[in-house]
Amino acid sequence: MLRTHTCGELRLEHVNQLVTLAGWVQRVRNKGGLIWVDLRDRYGVTQLIFEEGSTDKALLEKAALLGREFVVQASGKVIERTSKNDKIPTGSIEIKVSELSVLNPAKVPPFIIEDETDGGDELRMKYRYLDLRRNVVREKLQLRHRMMQETRKYMDAQNFIEVETPVLIKSTPEGARDFVVPSRVNPGEFYALPQSPQTFKQLLMVSGFDRYFQIVKCFRDEDLRADRQPEFTQIDCEMAFVTQEDILNTFEGLIKHLFSSVKGIDLGYVEHMTFADAMKFYGNDKPDLRFDMKFVELDHLAKGKGFSIFDQAELVVGICAKGAAEYTRKQIDELTDWVKRPQIGAKGMVYVRYNADGTLKSSVDKFYSQEDLAEWAKAFGAEPGDLMLVLSGDAKSTRKQLSELRLKMGEDLGLRDKSVFKPLWVVDFPLLEWDEETKRFHAMHHPFTSPKREDIPLLETDPGAVRANAYDLVINGVEVGGGSIRIHDRATQQLMFKHLGFTDEEAQKQFGFLMEAFEFGAPPHGGIAFGFDRLCAIFGGSDSIRDYIAFPKNNSGRDVMIDSPSTIADDQLEELSIRVALKK
């Protein structure tokens, strides 16, 4: 070993010991006859000291030539620091260096490699191997490592077996575009990279494996944002001979274990909410429960009073922001402009301020008396000091707009505390959802999701009303996992394919292997997949998953460090029987 200790290891009890450290030069402070060097490795920082009179002159000159990010080896005696630094664990000692070797000099880095850096996103992505030297980034990957180990520990204790599934598979409709890989030995044919191991984990249940999991790479060719990458990681799980409740209990246990072992937090009770209630009271299927602000419908109180905007609306609905009556008219106008932005799409906003003296002031006083507004306040459960905000229009878009407004108010009022965690199971999702572009139903989750048995007759009469045995785990308004009880017999699977618009031939071509497997004794089964990168970001208090991935892509799906994707040579294309003809 080139070192006896790490740069985060030495303390006062090591004083007078001869040690050898190796690492990167964090910074050099040269006072002429006195030089301090901060030496850094993955474990911490230790100060080296070179002092005129007690340090060899040649050694002092050598230390003066050190630059940032030089890789060096230093030997010497541990001494107590006269001026201690209580901000680092090694701040009570320093190394009086007697030998110094430069293992590798370094160019001046393109940005400062410290917690607070001057490097922008693109620059740090281009030199990601340097960015990974920063504590704040490395700590995120250490968190990821810890969560991975604790996941395996929990799953093993629950009798799950980790099985790897293929990466080169068949293209199937999973909801996003596939990444495809040409086959050299089968010209004109392509593999796809898996969007998830869905069919394989179901086949493992048919194989009798009973409890499977995998921490697995998945691939989706879709537009990117902060919580999306073209390649991402799932904790993928499946169980046989279980009900939905068994799965919820098992994987609620996993999440509680992770919070307890990694963050020292007891999650306590995890609420269950139907999809219908989530949409009715929060306007989306992943509500943030760190704060209340439930939707209150006002149709019966607001309509029929001569205010045509409300009278003509399909839905009048609002939220009560506790303690926000102090909002000025300017702040309310800014909120109104915010909901009218194209991204939100509201036509306008009505407010009611519940003043401290008990009076009610609104933007629609012309149409509603104090008694009318008092009825509104009663419906909201409002008190003096509260602010009621009301939107109207067609039901679906108005709920979506109010959901965005609710989240903004939660943010503005400081109610979305990243140190607070509110998990929630959302259950009873619709099996199908209508697509206006294609004018047909699509599977809300995937084609293998089981409908609730009592709803199966509705497939013929009212497909949109059919509920699925599907569930999502939501934490702080972020979906971190989703799954379902699966279809496990050929007849029901064929019925599902029929209602999704598959011909018998299409279903056989794409999923014949799975339906045939169902005829060889498939057990009832179900599972869930957690977005591991998202889970790590929530644990780390981040909005983006990017820093929890060692070498991520940018928003264009490019790795600017290695310049990928890139063109390939003509002879390689010829070998693959591919000719490139780009559309102009």
Side-chain angles (χ1 to χ4, degrees):
M1 299 289 283
L2 296 185
R3 59 190 178 189
T4 61
H5 297 78
T6 70
C7 292
E9 192 175 346
L10 298 171
R11 303 289 189 272
L12 280 173
E13 59 264 30
H14 297 99
V15 166
N16 291 325
Q17 287 187 23
L18 293 175
V19 300
T20 301
L21 303 183
W24 288 263
V25 173
Q26 177 84 20
R27 65 176 70 86
V28 178
R29 298 185 300 284
N30 191 336
K31 301 296 184 183
L34 189 60
I35 298 173
W36 292 282
V37 175
D38 287 344
L39 192 66
R40 180 195 73 240
D41 64 11
R42 170 186 150 192
Y43 305 95
V45 175
T46 297
Q47 181 171 282
L48 312 179
I49 184 169
F50 303 82
E51 192 171 6
E52 193 174 44
S54 58
T55 299
D56 179 76
K57 184 180 179 184
L59 185 59
L60 196 67
E61 290 172 353
K62 195 173 187 180
L65 297 174
L66 295 177
R68 282 180 178 263
E69 301 309 309
F70 275 42
V71 184
V72 303
Q73 181 188 49
S75 298
K77 182 187 288 187
V78 181
I79 62 173
E80 185 173 358
R81 281 174 67 161
T82 53
S83 178
K84 294 180 172 58
N85 180 357
D86 59 7
K87 294 180 182 176
I88 58 173
T90 60
S92 296
I93 58 93
E94 59 192 353
I95 311 301
K96 190 173 182 60
V97 179
S98 54
E99 292 181 46
L100 178 69
S101 298
V102 176
L103 303 176
N104 209 342
K107 294 196 298 185
V108 176
F111 53 86
I112 297 171
I113 300 175
E114 294 189 13
D115 289 0
E116 296 296 326
T117 182
D118 57 352
D121 283 349
E122 281 296 298
L123 186 63
R124 288 188 292 110
M125 290 275 279
K126 180 175 174 60
Y127 295 95
R128 180 63 169 174
Y129 48 87
L130 297 180
D131 197 31
L132 288 170
R133 293 181 186 174
R134 297 169 57 227
N135 284 332
V136 289
V137 182
R138 185 174 60 249
E139 284 166 4
K140 289 177 170 63
L141 290 179
Q142 287 172 335
L143 171 67
R144 181 188 180 97
H145 165 77
R146 178 87 186 281
M147 290 181 67
M148 201 171 277
Q149 301 314 306
E150 291 296 337
T151 296
R152 287 194 163 99
K153 185 189 298 183
Y154 177 85
M155 298 301 280
D156 184 59
Q158 298 295 317
N159 230 17
F160 282 78
I161 180 170
E162 187 167 5
V163 182
E164 291 178 290
T165 53
V167 173
L168 296 174
I169 67 166
K170 181 176 188 168
S171 181
T172 57
E174 297 272 359
R177 296 182 195 89
D178 286 325
F179 283 102
V180 295
V181 180
S183 170
R184 178 185 60 80
V185 295
N186 300 282
E189 295 186 319
F190 296 82
Y191 300 104
L193 302 181
Q195 294 184 33
S196 78
Q198 181 61 45
T199 54
F200 289 101
K201 65 182 182 180
Q202 290 192 250
L203 290 170
L204 285 169
M205 296 302 102
V206 179
S207 303
F209 274 76
D210 179 54
R211 293 186 169 209
Y212 140 93
F213 89 101
Q214 185 181 189
I215 299 177
V216 61
K217 280 284 186 196
C218 300
F219 307 85
R220 291 180 189 171
D221 185 6
E222 56 189 354
D223 295 334
L224 305 182
R225 56 185 189 225
D227 62 346
R228 277 189 187 162
Q229 283 279 298
E231 53 181 311
F232 57 96
T233 304
Q234 285 184 348
I235 308 172
D236 195 58
C237 316
E238 199 80 2
M239 302 171 73
F241 303 113
V242 289
T243 64
Q244 176 172 302
E245 203 60 32
D246 295 323
I247 292 174
L248 300 192
N249 289 337
T250 300
F251 294 105
E252 186 175 308
L254 169 62
I255 296 302
K256 286 182 174 180
H257 171 77
L258 290 175
F259 270 99
S260 174
S261 59
V262 176
K263 292 191 73 68
I265 291 173
D266 179 2
L267 276 188
Y269 175 70
V270 179
E271 188 174 338
H272 291 210
M273 183 184 298
T274 65
F275 171 86
D277 280 350
M279 298 305 293
K280 179 177 181 178
F281 294 118
Y282 300 98
N284 68 48
D285 59 3
K286 45 182 185 295
D288 187 343
L289 298 189
R290 284 175 291 181
F291 61 104
D292 190 19
M293 233 180 275
K294 275 186 179 179
F295 291 8
V296 174
E297 296 180 11
L298 297 172
D299 291 356
H300 63 298
L301 296 175
K303 291 186 176 183
K305 300 287 185 177
F307 185 46
S308 61
I309 291 173
F310 282 177
D311 290 343
Q312 295 166 13
E314 183 183 358
L315 176 68
V316 182
V317 63
I319 54 174
C320 177
K322 306 298 290 183
E326 296 300 316
Y327 266 46
T328 64
R329 185 57 192 264
K330 181 185 177 190
Q331 286 175 298
I332 291 172
D333 287 345
E334 287 172 350
L335 274 181
T336 305
D337 291 340
W338 188 86
V339 298
K340 288 167 73 173
R341 295 182 311 153
Q343 301 97 309
I344 308 298
K347 296 283 196 301
M349 183 185 77
V350 167
Y351 75 89
V352 182
R353 186 188 286 123
Y354 203 152
N355 296 315
D357 63 6
T359 60
L360 294 147
K361 171 65 182 169
S362 84
S363 51
V364 286
D365 283 344
K366 180 179 175 183
F367 301 96
Y368 298 94
S369 67
Q370 284 286 299
E371 291 74 20
D372 292 332
L373 296 177
E375 287 296 314
W376 289 24
K378 184 179 177 183
F380 278 112
E383 300 170 319
D386 294 346
L387 179 66
M388 292 159 270
L389 304 172
V390 181
L391 301 181
S392 62
D394 71 273
K396 186 175 180 181
S397 58
T398 301
R399 288 189 188 284
K400 188 175 180 183
Q401 292 154 8
L402 189 60
S403 171
E404 296 295 331
L405 178 59
R406 175 183 178 271
L407 292 173
K408 177 172 174 56
M409 292 304 295
E411 192 71 43
D412 291 352
L413 295 172
L415 302 175
R416 303 183 74 187
D417 185 346
K418 288 181 179 177
S419 67
V420 174
F421 301 94
K422 289 290 185 181
L424 164 74
W425 284 111
V426 179
V427 299
D428 293 355
F429 279 83
L431 182 71
L432 307 169
E433 59 183 342
W434 181 256
D435 188 310
E436 274 299 328
E437 285 187 23
T438 59
K439 300 296 180 186
R440 68 184 181 91
F441 282 103
H442 290 266
M444 180 170 265
H445 284 79
H446 53 61
F448 318 107
T449 299
S450 167
K452 288 193 174 291
R453 191 156 296 280
E454 62 269 28
D455 287 0
I456 288 179
L458 292 172
L459 281 170
E460 300 295 341
T461 58
D462 189 5
V466 179
R467 293 167 301 156
N469 282 313
Y471 34 82
D472 281 356
L473 182 65
V474 175
I475 301 176
N476 294 357
V478 177
E479 178 205 330
V480 297
S484 65
I485 298 295
R486 321 301 187 189
I487 295 168
H488 68 279
D489 65 283
R490 183 174 189 128
T492 307
Q493 189 65 72
Q494 283 180 315
L495 181 66
M496 183 68 172
F497 285 146
K498 173 191 165 187
H499 286 282
L500 290 172
F502 285 78
T503 65
D504 289 342
E505 292 74 21
E506 288 171 334
Q508 182 62 33
K509 181 179 179 183
Q510 291 191 322
F511 300 110
F513 65 94
L514 184 63
M515 290 192 289
E516 185 178 14
F518 287 167
E519 295 182 300
F520 286 96
H525 60 280
I528 193 168
F530 293 97
F532 186 61
D533 312 293
R534 284 188 191 178
L535 205 52
C536 290
I538 286 173
F539 272 58
S542 303
D543 294 321
S544 172
I545 66 173
R546 191 178 287 172
D547 276 347
Y548 297 85
I549 298 171
F551 298 101
K553 310 287 190 293
N554 68 10
N555 287 343
S556 301
R558 296 197 67 83
D559 184 331
V560 294
M561 182 183 69
I562 63 172
D563 192 25
S564 172
S566 60
T567 56
I568 59 175
D570 288 343
D571 57 349
Q572 200 172 350
L573 288 172
E574 186 176 341
E575 196 173 30
L576 293 167
S577 304
I578 288 176
R579 180 182 294 118
V580 176
L582 297 176
K583 290 182 180 179
K584 290 186 178 179

